[in-house]
Amino acid sequence: MRHCLACLTLALSILSAPATFALTDDKVTSFALENGLEVVVIEDHRAPVVTQMLWYRAGSADEKPGVSGVAHFLEHLLFKGTNTVAPGEFSSTVARNGGSDNAFTSYDYTAYFQRIAADRLELVMRMESDRMTNLQLDESDIATERDVIIEERNQRVENSPSALFREQKNAMQYLNHRYGVPIIGWRHEMEALDLDAALDFYGEYYAPNNAILIIAGDVVPETARELAETYYGPIPANANLPERIRPQEPPQMAERRITFQDARVSQPYVSRSYLAPERDSGAQDKAAALTLLADILGGGQTSVLAENLQFESQTAVQVGASYSGSSLDDTTFDLYIVPAAGVTLEQAETAMDDVLTTFLETGVDAAQLERIKMQFRASEIYARDDVGGLANRYGQALTQGLTVADVQAWPDILQATTADQIMQAAREVFDRTQSVTGWLMAPEVTQ
């Protein structure tokens, strides 16, 4: 009991300390190799474990028209094999050495990672650098893995009315930008993905000057640099790497609406997204305001939407708000409401709009804002216990145009954000001409 009380006292003292306390004290070293590979080393010597993450500045939004899903497809294919590593041998070798590995694709990046004992770092670095340049594929690999990703789409999208709804609504939000194309791809284009499409994406984007290597855990920068020079250093840069320019959205001049009906829907809901600015290097203030705004409006049971719609009027059984500033180009601020029994979607949407209107008139509650900032402060402190999470944070930021300094400045920018800044951001974003409102529902019964 004395130990628990001591821990509680320590935790409270940390949370009540100045906002800058220990939040930007990550032991981070960064450098670049001659071939353009950026390397970030995050030291944490509390356990003899290390995480290697290799991030490519290439995601689904970098695909050419007509081959949607090829970025995710190639992610799967990278586990097939190289000149020296047989298909499946990469993951089995990591597992045999007590580690784990995986990969993921998003709009703006593709990342590969391994978590393993620190004395096995050289092993995984040798294998990861090998598949950056020596991938070996044939038609049988293409056919097999294409079936795998189509089945993945069946399970995650085709079998989920909510996923299909979100996909259609997102396409309506982005008429010209590639964010309107699903990361996994449109099914009819996935079915046509071939060896040429995969090798074209691989040859264009999988190069050291388009990659960021994150090494986090029980490693010192000197060792990381030596290994990186040995294994990644000899790989030539892609001299023809294209400039990262995507088609941008034309001005949205009218509200857009979609009604998606599916017989499998058991719980209808209303969802709305507004175009919103992303986090930009050296100019993160607006993104910080929107991050806090999302928590104020929909971050749990004490949020503005929950208090008004779930508990006071009992119009909704669930509400929420979200904002993801981690985006290379314009992102969205999202709201949703799941109506209570007997409440129509129209009534639910009206009730949500009424709460937003009142909020814009009355402003931010100071006590609520302070509580949310304290929660962010605590989460930043606790996040330092997860070096894999830190590696993810830096990799995601750097592939989307931010810098190490931006990542380290972010916690203090959040703490310094004022209620006035939050309200200004809210007034700018909550423009119905910049929005898409969607209703997900079962088909109406006709008499």
Side-chain angles (χ1 to χ4, degrees):
M1 177 64 72
R2 287 194 300 271
H3 175 71
C4 292
L5 289 173
C7 290
L8 178 59
T9 301
L10 176 61
L12 290 174
S13 66
I14 290 174
L15 293 183
S16 60
T20 55
F21 178 84
L23 295 186
T24 58
D25 194 29
D26 301 329
K27 295 183 68 175
V28 178
T29 304
S30 61
F31 54 89
L33 304 188
E34 288 187 7
N35 59 10
L37 179 70
E38 294 182 34
V39 184
V40 176
V41 182
I42 306 170
E43 294 182 70
D44 187 327
H45 302 288
R46 290 176 292 178
V49 177
V50 68
T51 294
Q52 173 182 233
M53 301 191 79
L54 186 64
W55 297 71
Y56 291 98
R57 295 184 183 89
S60 65
D62 299 293
E63 298 164 344
K64 296 175 181 176
V67 290
S68 64
V70 71
H72 174 246
F73 186 38
L74 182 60
E75 175 215 309
H76 280 242
L77 291 169
L78 242 70
F79 291 89
K80 287 299 183 183
T82 68
N83 296 327
T84 58
V85 178
E89 185 180 346
F90 190 111
S91 294
S92 64
T93 300
V94 172
R96 192 166 57 250
N97 283 271
S100 59
D101 74 313
N102 214 327
F104 50 89
T105 305
S106 189
Y107 290 114
D108 298 317
Y109 53 77
T110 308
Y112 302 83
F113 66 92
Q114 305 85 40
R115 186 175 187 272
I116 202 163
D119 62 358
R120 302 292 195 275
L121 175 59
E122 182 173 9
L123 169 67
V124 295
M125 197 175 286
R126 173 175 58 78
M127 292 195 300
E128 190 65 85
S129 63
D130 178 44
R131 67 178 176 181
M132 175 185 277
T133 189
N134 294 319
L135 181 64
Q136 295 293 302
L137 299 173
D138 58 32
E139 292 294 347
S140 64
D141 295 324
I142 297 299
T144 300
E145 213 57 42
R146 188 170 53 214
D147 288 342
V148 170
I149 63 170
I150 290 173
E151 180 57 27
E152 184 178 341
R153 179 179 169 89
N154 287 338
Q155 293 179 1
R156 295 187 177 184
V157 183
E158 307 293 350
N159 289 337
S160 170
S162 291
L164 288 169
F165 167 62
R166 288 192 298 270
E167 191 175 78
Q168 293 292 310
K169 179 173 168 288
N170 202 47
M172 182 176 284
Q173 180 76 77
Y174 293 101
L175 299 182
N176 196 47
H177 195 285
R178 295 290 295 181
Y179 288 167
V181 178
I183 295 169
I184 199 167
W186 297 117
R187 185 187 181 97
H188 67 285
E189 293 184 346
M190 294 169 67
E191 291 171 344
L193 291 174
D194 57 19
L195 181 60
D196 287 341
L199 291 179
D200 180 62
F201 198 85
Y202 179 69
E204 189 158 34
Y205 293 113
Y206 279 52
N209 53 324
N210 197 45
I212 299 160
L213 176 66
I214 312 286
I215 306 295
D218 189 19
V219 63
V220 295
E222 294 77 15
T223 299
R225 181 188 286 271
E226 181 181 342
L227 291 174
E229 291 280 9
T230 299
Y231 292 105
Y232 290 99
I235 302 173
N238 178 7
N240 298 313
L241 183 69
E243 189 175 355
R244 205 173 193 193
I245 299 176
R246 282 91 168 264
Q248 296 300 302
E249 282 296 290
Q252 183 176 340
M253 297 180 288
E255 178 184 3
R256 299 167 189 163
R257 301 187 66 88
I258 178 174
T259 299
F260 190 91
Q261 298 183 345
D262 192 303
R264 297 171 294 177
V265 173
S266 58
Q267 180 61 74
Y269 64 86
V270 179
S271 173
R272 182 181 299 145
S273 56
Y274 299 86
L275 281 176
E278 75 283 2
R279 280 173 66 186
D280 289 324
S281 181
Q284 301 184 85
D285 292 354
K286 190 168 292 185
L290 291 172
T291 298
L292 293 168
L293 176 64
D295 253 49
I296 290 167
L297 290 177
Q301 307 231 326
T302 59
S303 66
V304 170
L305 289 173
E307 286 189 348
N308 284 274
L309 299 175
Q310 286 183 250
F311 302 113
E312 290 186 13
S313 68
Q314 298 187 353
T315 303
V317 294
Q318 192 174 350
V319 292
S322 62
Y323 165 75
S324 177
S326 298
S327 177
L328 185 64
D329 297 313
D330 279 352
T331 184
T332 58
F333 190 102
D334 297 85
L335 304 164
Y336 74 89
I337 176 170
V338 181
V343 177
T344 67
L345 292 178
E346 182 177 10
Q347 290 169 335
E349 182 182 344
T350 299
M352 182 178 72
D353 285 334
D354 288 344
V355 171
L356 293 179
T357 298
T358 301
F359 172 75
L360 291 174
E361 293 172 350
T362 58
V364 175
D365 178 82
Q368 183 192 20
L369 178 57
E370 184 56 35
R371 183 172 63 251
I372 289 172
K373 284 185 176 183
M374 182 175 289
Q375 291 168 352
F376 272 102
R377 191 183 311 157
S379 68
E380 290 290 341
I381 294 169
Y382 299 144
R384 298 188 62 205
D385 286 332
D386 180 6
V387 292
L390 286 176
N392 194 304
R393 177 182 300 184
Y394 279 92
Q396 188 177 110
L398 295 175
T399 53
Q400 296 173 323
L402 301 176
T403 66
V404 169
D406 291 323
V407 176
Q408 295 181 335
W410 177 246
D412 290 337
I413 292 173
L414 283 172
Q415 295 301 319
T417 302
T418 66
D420 287 343
Q421 288 175 302
I422 293 170
M423 294 309 300
Q424 181 180 349
R427 294 186 184 98
E428 291 176 1
V429 167
F430 292 151
D431 177 357
R432 292 290 286 271
T433 64
Q434 301 285 303
S435 71
V436 178
T437 302
W439 289 8
L440 175 66
M441 60 189 293
E444 295 179 339
V445 178
T446 57
Q447 299 297 329

